């Protein structure tokens, strides 16, 4: 392959991979995530709109999507409440006992005035006593006119009732009053005041009723003289008036208050607004219009609220991913975002499919929804911590999508069930190494799902019967089995489509019965042993720096598979035979050696091995230099006396350089294992020096420029490789103490 062809290949590869890290693509995916949440929640949270017209029959039954205020029914209820409010009466503290005392005081003074004749006194009493009764009422009105407790209408009613119920003293009483002595008046005064006070303590609407009791009160009093009793009786009747009056303003205020306190009448969510085939009246049309149920009069506020809700859910997920990238070894690209969106979409669709057959009479059908599918796939294909966050997200979606109860947005029971089975699934498979682990996870889901359902039934036992309880638990068990089936079926799709190497797939590829590994073992046993050793070394080094150790191990098993095409040209397979390179041109030797990486990639493509495994085989040598054959070619040219027609570049691997930490680690481990194997009696110092030399040589040759290995990680890799080599080759490596003893 020429340098131009290599450059074109790199350019094409760069363009192909460019979208995976494009910021604009990531914004598009974020928008798609919002749209996905919006579309999944809209059927449950947005009211349906209808295309109808006044006077035409409705082609479908229209149900209330929410509790809708019924204006007509509310007005009727308010009027009924107002009608139940009776007339309101106000009781006035008129203190009529004061009036009778004032009248007796006036009689006491006037009777002692000898300058006034009896006829004049009679005339004065005839005019003054009724007037005093009227003045007493007017004084009360005047003194309380500005009081907020009394209205002008009330005072008008008082004047009217007092005037209608006015008492007229008998004429003979005016004749008897001047005859009263001061002693008589002093005796009459407390008796009259007591009688009036006692009788006006009650609520009086009709004064005549109270006045009828005066005679009995007087007859049982301490008054001995007949004249005194008769005068007291008449004066008490005059003083007694009604004290309870109809209050028109208070009645109106009470009716207003009754209307205001009448609760709004609602059309309950799910109630029929319009029957199918029923003609649309103007009232119906107005009701639907006011509540945004017409296509021409859509209420955009619920849609706006759902957009905000969807954006918050998507933003929370994206913000977590961005934060986790700073502390986790896992780095997300747009390809993985697409896969995450597909997993979320599959989970949401599965919930909607279950909701189709679910209803308010059989809500327990929702427990069969395979909500844990998303959590399991994310754990296996992406990251465990992300799976926990998505489980919470799925529980929120499940509480809305699987909710069949009218009048509420979220159903706590399905949200709780979803988060329990998702967490149980994650815990069961976070270290999965075999496909059978998925079956165990399914059993965990059924157990914890059944327990969650049973717990919810115990907490809220309303409406649960023995049969519905068994159905609910049965659907939860079926949901666990369905989840396992879906995960097992979907895993290969995601692995192939997105080139994902899950831990399960890697374990499968590490099986020695794989055709390529069997070929490697039978045809090149030396290379097979070398690959196994490289796998041990690279896995330990990768795990020490937080890289994918399992990928390094499996990639090491296949990294030299290309040597099976010409096994005898590689030193680990040259047992008891001459080295073929001793008899051929060093340029040809170079071509044979370099070809094993390219041949390995082609063989892996034929067997459809995942790209990360092929990348390790292609990149583990990078663009390293074949020193031995280069110098052998120089020496041969010198012996032949000709100028070299080649350069150092012609004796380099075509690359590319390691693009990932795993490929770089396998390359280092490959060189370390080969170097240690070449030592007859390696010592600890030799191993340390050799490892440091290999890493420094590759570092100086810029082999790590295209992967994100740091200097600190290279130091950790060197230390780990040293410890692992000493563990593997313990019997061969001589320690300083052993060397001294040998000497």
């Amino acid at each position: 392959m020429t340098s131009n062809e290599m450059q074109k290949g790199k350019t094409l590869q760069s363009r192909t991979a460019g979208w995976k890290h494009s910021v604009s693509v990531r914004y598009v995916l974020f928008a798609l995530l919002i749209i996905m949440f919006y579309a999944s929640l809209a059927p449950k949270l947005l009211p349906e709109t209808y295309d109808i017209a006044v006077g035409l029959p409705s082609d479908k039954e229209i149900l209330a999507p929410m509790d809708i205020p019924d204006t007509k029914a509310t007005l009727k209820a308010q009027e009924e409440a107002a009608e139940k409010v009776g007339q309101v009466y106000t009781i006035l503290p008129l203190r009529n006992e004061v009036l009778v005392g004032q009248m007796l005081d006036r009689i006491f003074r006037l009777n002692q005035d000898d300058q006034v004749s009896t006829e004049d006194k009679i005339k004065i009493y005839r005019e003054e006593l009724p007037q005093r009764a009227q003045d007493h009422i007017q004084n009360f009105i005047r003194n309380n006119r500005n009081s907020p407790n009394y209205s002008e209408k009330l005072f008008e009613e008082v004047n009217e009732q007092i005037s209608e119920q006015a008492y007229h003293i008998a004429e003979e009483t005016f004749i008897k009053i001047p005859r009263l002595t001061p002693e008589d008046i002093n005796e009459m005064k407390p008796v009259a005041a007591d009688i009036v006070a006692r009788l006006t303590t009650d609520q009086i609407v009709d004064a005549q009723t109270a006045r009828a009791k005066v005679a009995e009160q007087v007859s049982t009093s301490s008054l001995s003289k007949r004249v005194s009793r008769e005068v007291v009786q008449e004066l008490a009747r005059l003083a007694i008036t009604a004290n309870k009056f109809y209050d028109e303003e208070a009645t109106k205020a009470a009716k207003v208050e009754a209307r205001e306190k009448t609760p709004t009448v609602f059309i309950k969510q799910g109630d029929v607004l319009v029957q199918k085939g029923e003609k649309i009246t103007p009232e119906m049309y107005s009701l639907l219009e006011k509540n945004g149920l017409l296509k021409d009069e859509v209420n955009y506020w619920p849609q706006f609220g759902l957009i905000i809700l969807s954006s918050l859910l998507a933003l929370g997920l994206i913000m977590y991913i961005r934060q986790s990238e700073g502390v986790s070894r896992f780095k997300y690209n747009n390809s993985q975002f697409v896969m995450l969106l597909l997993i979320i979409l599959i989970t949401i669709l599965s919930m909607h499919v279950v909701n189709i057959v679910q209803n308010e009479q059989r809500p327990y059908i929702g427990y069969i929804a395979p909500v844990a599918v998303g959590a399991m796939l994310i754990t296996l294909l992406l990251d465990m911590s992300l799976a926990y966050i998505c489980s919470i997200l799925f529980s929120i979606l499940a509480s809305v999508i699987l909710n069949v109860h009218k009048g509420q947005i979220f159903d706590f029971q399905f949200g709780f069930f979803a988060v329990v089975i998702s967490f149980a699934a994650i815990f069961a498979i976070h270290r999965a190494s075999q496909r059978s682990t998925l079956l165990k996870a399914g059993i965990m889901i059924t157990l914890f799902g059944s327990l969650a359902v049973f717990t919810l039934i115990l907490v809220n036992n309303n409406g649960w019967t023995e049969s519905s309880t068994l159905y609910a638990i049965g659907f939860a068990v079926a949901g666990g089995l369905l989840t396992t089936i879906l995960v097992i079926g979907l895993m290969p799709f995601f692995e192939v489509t997105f080139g994902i190497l899950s831990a399960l797939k890697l374990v499968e590829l590490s099986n020695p019965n794989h055709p390529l590994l069997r070929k490697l073992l039978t045809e090149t046993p030396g290379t097979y042993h070398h690959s196994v050793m490289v796998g041990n070394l690279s896995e330990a080094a990768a795990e020490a720096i937080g890289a994918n150790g399992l990928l390094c191990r499996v990639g090491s098993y296949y990294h030299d598979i290309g040597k099976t095409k010409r096994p005898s040209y590689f030193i680990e397979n040259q047992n008891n035979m001459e080295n073929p390179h001793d008899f051929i041109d060093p340029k040809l030797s170079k071509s044979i050696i370099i070809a094993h990486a390219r041949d390995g990639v082609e063989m892996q493509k034929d067997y459809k091995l995942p790209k990360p495994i092929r990348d390790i085989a292609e990149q583990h040598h990078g663009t390293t230099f074949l020193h031995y054959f280069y110098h052998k070619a120089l020496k041969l040219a010198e012996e032949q006396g000709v100028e070299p027609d080649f350069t150092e570049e012609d004796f380099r691997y075509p690359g590319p350089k390691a693009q990932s930490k795993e490929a770089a680690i396998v390359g280092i481990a490959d060189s370390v294992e080969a170097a240690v194997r070449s030592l007859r009696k390696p010592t600890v110092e030799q191993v340390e020096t050799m490892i440091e030399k290999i890493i420094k040589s590759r570092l100086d040759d810029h082999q790590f420029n295209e992967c994100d290995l740091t200097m600190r990680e290279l130091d950790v890799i060197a230390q780990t490789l040293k410890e692992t080599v000493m563990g593997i080759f313990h019997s061969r490596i001589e320690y300083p103490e052993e060397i001294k003893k040998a000497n």
Side-chain angles (χ1 to χ4, degrees):
M1 181 180 291
T2 65
S3 59
N4 289 335
E5 290 174 337
M6 291 172 55
Q7 186 63 33
K8 288 180 181 179
K10 291 180 180 179
T11 303
L12 179 61
Q13 183 180 9
S14 175
R15 289 175 180 175
T16 304
W19 74 273
K20 294 184 179 181
H21 304 283
S22 171
V23 175
S24 58
V25 171
R26 185 160 296 194
Y27 280 123
V28 171
L29 295 176
F30 177 66
L32 288 175
L33 185 61
I34 295 175
I35 294 172
M36 187 189 305
F37 287 148
Y38 181 91
S40 65
L41 298 175
K44 288 289 186 177
L45 300 183
L46 293 183
E48 185 179 358
T49 56
Y50 303 90
D51 186 11
I52 59 175
V54 176
L56 296 179
S58 174
D59 59 351
K60 60 175 65 176
E61 185 181 61
I62 301 177
L63 303 179
M66 65 195 80
D67 289 349
I68 297 176
D70 191 337
T71 305
K72 187 176 180 180
T74 301
L75 289 174
K76 182 179 179 181
Q78 289 175 346
E79 290 305 316
E80 290 176 353
E83 288 176 5
K84 291 179 181 179
V85 175
Q87 294 182 339
V88 177
Y89 287 82
T90 298
I91 300 172
L92 301 180
L94 298 177
R95 300 194 63 188
N96 302 71
E97 69 276 7
V98 175
L99 171 60
V100 75
Q102 291 174 349
M103 289 190 293
L104 286 171
D105 288 339
R106 174 59 175 156
I107 293 170
F108 182 86
R109 292 191 300 271
L110 188 58
N111 279 2
Q112 289 184 347
D113 190 350
D114 296 335
Q115 302 296 322
V116 182
S117 64
T118 300
E119 290 76 10
D120 290 338
K121 289 179 182 178
I122 293 171
K123 185 178 180 181
I124 290 172
Y125 289 141
R126 186 182 292 114
E127 295 176 358
E128 189 172 317
L129 291 180
Q131 187 62 44
R132 278 185 174 271
Q134 293 179 12
D135 292 343
H136 180 75
I137 299 299
Q138 296 306 315
N139 288 336
F140 176 84
I141 293 174
R142 187 165 45 253
N143 293 333
N144 291 278
R145 192 172 294 278
N146 297 324
S147 173
N149 299 322
Y150 309 122
S151 64
E152 195 62 35
K153 284 279 189 182
L154 175 63
F155 291 142
E156 291 177 6
E157 179 70 14
V158 171
N159 286 327
E160 182 179 349
Q161 292 299 320
I162 294 296
S163 176
E164 289 180 0
Q165 300 178 24
Y167 183 75
H168 302 285
I169 298 176
E171 186 63 29
E172 62 268 20
T173 302
F174 296 120
I175 298 173
K176 295 174 183 178
I177 291 176
R179 300 177 189 173
L180 296 174
T181 64
E183 292 77 14
D184 293 336
I185 295 172
N186 288 333
E187 185 183 8
M188 294 163 58
K189 189 174 181 180
V191 174
D194 181 64
I195 292 173
V196 173
R198 191 182 304 119
L199 293 176
T200 55
T201 301
D202 297 331
Q203 300 176 11
I204 303 172
V205 177
D206 184 6
Q208 186 59 36
T209 304
R211 290 167 183 165
K213 299 177 183 179
V214 172
E216 181 184 355
Q217 296 289 330
V218 171
S219 64
T220 58
S221 67
S222 59
L223 296 176
S224 58
K225 291 184 179 182
R226 180 178 178 182
V227 174
S228 298
R229 289 199 299 272
E230 291 176 352
V231 173
V232 166
Q233 183 173 297
E234 290 299 305
L235 292 178
R237 286 172 176 170
L238 177 64
I240 292 175
T241 63
N243 60 9
K244 183 178 180 182
F245 303 93
Y246 169 66
D247 193 336
E248 183 178 350
E249 295 296 328
T251 302
K252 290 180 180 179
K255 289 182 179 293
V256 170
E257 184 179 4
R259 291 189 183 95
E260 291 176 349
K261 288 186 176 180
T262 301
T264 303
V265 179
F266 285 92
I267 300 172
K268 298 296 184 182
Q269 182 181 24
D271 289 351
V272 178
L273 295 177
V274 180
Q275 296 283 358
K276 184 177 180 180
E278 184 179 3
K279 285 188 177 181
I280 303 298
T281 63
E283 292 79 10
M284 292 178 182
Y285 190 89
S286 177
L287 179 64
L288 298 175
E289 183 180 28
K290 287 180 180 178
N291 290 278
L293 298 178
L294 301 180
K295 287 190 176 179
D296 295 335
E297 299 290 340
V298 179
N299 183 5
Y300 291 102
W301 286 111
Q303 298 182 11
F304 181 64
L306 183 55
I307 290 174
I308 295 176
L309 175 60
S310 304
S311 300
L312 289 175
L313 293 176
L315 185 63
L317 181 60
I318 297 301
M319 291 304 294
Y320 170 79
I321 291 175
R322 290 193 61 183
Q323 291 295 325
S324 65
E325 283 183 322
V327 296
S328 172
R329 69 174 178 84
F330 199 84
K331 303 296 181 183
Y332 297 91
N333 58 43
N334 292 335
S335 174
Q336 291 163 326
F337 276 122
V338 171
M339 181 168 60
L340 178 61
L341 260 64
L342 277 177
I343 293 173
I344 294 174
L345 178 61
I346 290 170
T347 307
I348 291 174
L349 288 177
S350 68
M351 289 189 278
H352 274 289
V353 170
V354 172
N355 183 246
I356 293 174
V357 295
Q358 189 187 18
N359 55 49
E360 196 168 0
Q361 288 71 39
R362 296 189 297 273
Y364 46 76
I365 294 178
Y367 293 124
I368 200 175
V371 183
V373 164
M376 292 178 70
L377 289 174
I378 294 171
T379 303
L380 293 169
L381 300 173
L382 291 170
D383 183 55
M384 183 179 71
S385 60
L386 177 61
Y388 278 114
I389 297 300
C390 288
S391 296
I392 298 174
L393 182 65
F394 293 145
S395 70
I396 296 173
L397 296 174
S399 66
V400 176
I401 297 172
L402 299 176
N403 175 33
V404 294
H405 299 292
K406 299 171 182 176
Q408 64 184 46
I409 297 176
F410 300 98
D411 189 334
F412 160 78
Q413 298 184 73
F414 288 111
F416 175 75
F417 172 78
V419 79
V420 167
I421 62 174
S422 296
F423 279 21
I426 295 170
F427 178 79
I429 63 168
H430 74 286
R431 290 185 178 177
S433 58
Q434 299 179 16
R435 298 282 175 180
S436 60
T437 308
L438 297 179
L439 297 176
K440 297 177 183 178
I443 296 173
M444 288 281 286
I445 293 173
T446 59
L447 291 177
F448 279 91
S450 301
L451 180 61
V453 171
F454 186 65
T455 302
L456 291 170
I457 293 173
L458 292 179
V459 172
N460 182 21
N461 197 28
N462 295 333
W464 285 97
T465 62
E466 183 176 342
S467 61
S468 63
T469 299
L470 292 176
Y471 275 124
I473 295 176
F475 277 109
V477 172
L481 299 177
L482 179 61
T483 299
T484 303
I485 293 171
L486 287 175
V487 171
I488 293 175
L490 289 170
M491 278 289 291
F493 165 76
F494 283 104
E495 289 172 342
V496 173
T497 304
F498 294 93
I500 295 296
L501 261 182
S502 65
L504 300 178
K505 184 67 176 178
L506 285 171
V507 170
E508 287 181 356
L509 292 175
S510 67
N511 190 332
N513 290 321
H514 190 281
L516 282 180
L517 293 184
R518 283 208 312 270
K519 181 181 180 66
L520 187 69
L521 175 61
T522 56
E523 296 181 10
T524 56
T527 300
Y528 179 84
H529 180 265
H530 160 73
S531 298
V532 172
M533 301 302 290
V534 172
N536 293 332
L537 294 173
S538 61
E539 182 179 33
E543 290 181 350
I545 65 169
N548 192 335
L550 185 57
L551 174 60
C552 286
R553 171 181 285 274
V554 179
S556 298
Y557 290 168
Y558 293 90
H559 81 290
D560 277 344
I561 196 70
K563 291 181 179 179
T564 57
K565 286 199 170 184
R566 305 173 187 85
S568 60
Y569 285 87
F570 299 91
I571 191 168
E572 65 267 23
N573 300 314
Q574 296 171 0
N575 294 329
N576 301 320
M577 63 176 293
E578 294 181 341
N579 189 344
H581 293 288
D582 294 340
F583 309 103
I584 62 177
D585 186 82
K587 294 179 183 179
L588 179 59
S589 296
K590 176 264 303 183
S591 298
I592 294 173
I593 297 298
I594 288 176
H596 88 275
R598 182 179 65 253
D599 293 338
V601 172
E602 295 301 324
M603 293 174 67
Q604 291 181 36
K605 283 182 179 179
D606 293 339
Y607 283 87
K608 295 181 172 53
L609 263 65
K611 190 174 185 301
I613 301 295
R614 302 200 306 267
D615 288 343
I616 290 177
E618 185 179 25
Q619 301 167 14
H620 74 281
H621 282 296
T623 58
T624 52
F625 181 46
L626 295 172
H627 293 271
Y628 175 79
F629 292 109
Y630 174 73
H631 291 294
K632 183 178 179 182
L634 283 180
K635 184 177 179 181
L636 181 62
E638 183 180 349
E639 290 175 353
Q640 294 176 351
V642 297
E643 287 293 324
D645 57 351
F646 53 85
T647 63
E648 288 188 6
E649 292 299 319
D650 295 327
F651 281 81
R652 283 186 177 272
Y653 280 93
K657 296 177 181 178
Q659 304 294 305
S660 65
K661 291 183 180 181
E662 289 77 12
I665 291 171
V666 171
I668 296 171
D670 179 51
S671 298
V672 168
E673 197 282 332
V676 170
R677 187 166 23 88
S678 67
L679 299 175
R680 290 185 176 275
K681 292 184 178 182
T683 64
V684 175
E685 290 81 2
Q686 286 178 316
V687 170
E688 288 181 349
T689 302
M690 178 191 62
I691 293 174
E692 291 175 358
K693 182 179 178 181
I694 290 172
I695 293 177
K696 185 177 184 303
S697 173
R698 291 202 169 215
L699 188 62
D700 293 341
D701 199 23
H702 309 294
Q703 295 300 314
F704 304 134
N705 285 9
E706 297 179 18
C707 66
D708 53 355
L709 278 176
T710 65
M711 295 299 295
R712 182 179 179 279
E713 287 174 335
L714 287 173
D715 290 340
V716 173
I717 290 171
Q719 181 63 26
T720 305
L721 287 175
K722 183 192 76 172
E723 295 171 356
T724 308
V725 166
M726 290 179 179
I728 294 174
F729 300 100
H730 181 78
S731 60
R732 289 180 52 197
I733 296 178
E734 296 182 4
Y735 288 83
E737 293 80 3
E738 295 174 351
I739 297 173
K740 290 180 181 178
K741 290 178 181 178
N743 293 334

